[in-house]
Amino acid sequence: VDRFGEALGRVGGVLRINAPHVALPLAITPMVAEMSRRHPELVIEIASDDGLADIVAGGYDAGVRLGHTVAQDMVAVRLTPPFQAIMVATPRYLAAAGEPRNLAALARHNCIGFRFVTSGGVYAWDLRDKGADVAVEVKGTVRVTNALYARELALADVGIAYIFEPLVRAELREGRLRQLLPRSAFDEPGLFLYFPRRAAQAPKLRAFVDLAREMLAAETRRQAS
């Protein structure tokens, strides 16, 4: 690490970030692109990891997680607005299998499941039913450990995917996917960058945090317009 450069506030060295796969298109890719333009002496190393790694033990400068999974002793900086987890399928799949009219009907559908990398458990879909939070166990012919792949399988007419709405916004707009049971969509707090308090003064991380706040403000204005 160039300590002299850091003392001058120059943004350089290597910034190591641990992030789940879904965070890359949702927040990290546009940030990395802009950081590369602004700070050509900085190397940004992204570890795509869905296993909820210990960023301190792993030697990372920062990590990315959903808000409710960030440890209390970490500094957390919002990367995205809140968003919803929704259910989607293709018109072709729905033409063949029918459209579920309620959550109970999911039992008769091919639902693309998700297995946690760390615990090995199978995820019960967090949904809303008559205003209450519910966890729905689903079954189907495929399970994944990467939610982005669930989108690809849904687009291939395999079945119903449970996914964050921004990841399928274009496909919904184009009619390639349809949202199912919109009143059952689950509100997520959004993605956050987190890091130990002692790391906050490093110029490379400070520059990344400043850009995160700048881009979030721009996205918030865009959504409000």
Side-chain angles (χ1 to χ4, degrees):
V1 177
D2 184 349
R3 299 294 181 190
F4 182 68
E6 284 203 357
L8 294 174
R10 196 186 75 220
V11 178
V14 179
L15 178 66
R16 300 187 70 226
I17 296 175
N18 183 285
H21 287 90
V22 294
L24 305 184
L26 281 173
I28 299 303
T29 299
M31 289 191 63
V32 169
E34 183 61 24
M35 286 289 288
S36 295
R37 283 189 287 270
R38 294 186 185 186
H39 306 291
E41 294 184 41
L42 177 67
V43 175
I44 305 172
E45 186 175 302
I46 307 293
S48 304
D49 177 14
D50 291 326
L52 298 181
D54 181 333
I55 61 168
V56 175
Y60 296 100
D61 296 292
V64 179
R65 287 190 191 173
L66 287 170
H68 58 78
T69 61
V70 175
Q72 292 294 315
D73 60 344
M74 293 284 177
V75 178
V77 176
R78 179 176 287 282
L79 289 176
T80 70
F83 46 70
Q84 289 189 318
I86 66 174
M87 294 176 287
V88 297
T90 59
R92 184 173 177 179
Y93 169 82
L94 296 171
E99 187 161 342
R101 300 297 175 188
N102 51 51
L103 292 182
L106 292 176
R108 300 191 295 275
H109 279 267
N110 200 29
C111 296
I112 300 164
F114 182 85
R115 187 179 291 281
F116 291 109
V117 174
T118 305
S119 69
V122 176
Y123 177 59
W125 291 0
D126 288 314
L127 294 164
R128 299 277 292 170
D129 187 27
K130 300 181 179 67
D133 292 349
V134 294
V136 179
E137 294 185 7
V138 297
K139 60 183 181 180
T141 58
V142 188
R143 287 194 192 119
V144 300
T145 58
N146 181 344
L148 292 175
Y149 189 49
R151 177 182 62 188
E152 301 309 308
L153 292 170
L155 286 166
D157 309 314
V158 171
I160 299 173
Y162 177 93
I163 196 162
F164 297 147
E165 181 273 335
L167 292 171
V168 290
R169 195 168 287 164
E171 290 82 358
L172 291 169
R173 187 171 57 245
E174 296 160 4
R176 297 168 63 203
L177 290 172
R178 280 183 27 210
Q179 183 177 354
L180 309 175
L181 303 172
R183 289 186 178 181
S184 294
F186 190 81
D187 292 326
E188 293 284 2
L191 290 172
F192 288 75
L193 184 76
Y194 69 99
F195 45 87
R197 194 167 300 279
R198 57 178 169 71
Q201 295 309 309
K204 59 186 179 182
L205 184 56
R206 204 163 62 237
F208 199 78
V209 168
D210 288 345
L211 177 61
R213 290 179 169 140
E214 180 184 325
M215 295 185 79
L216 176 64
E219 175 64 15
T220 302
R221 286 194 301 271
R222 190 192 66 78
Q223 289 191 8
S225 63

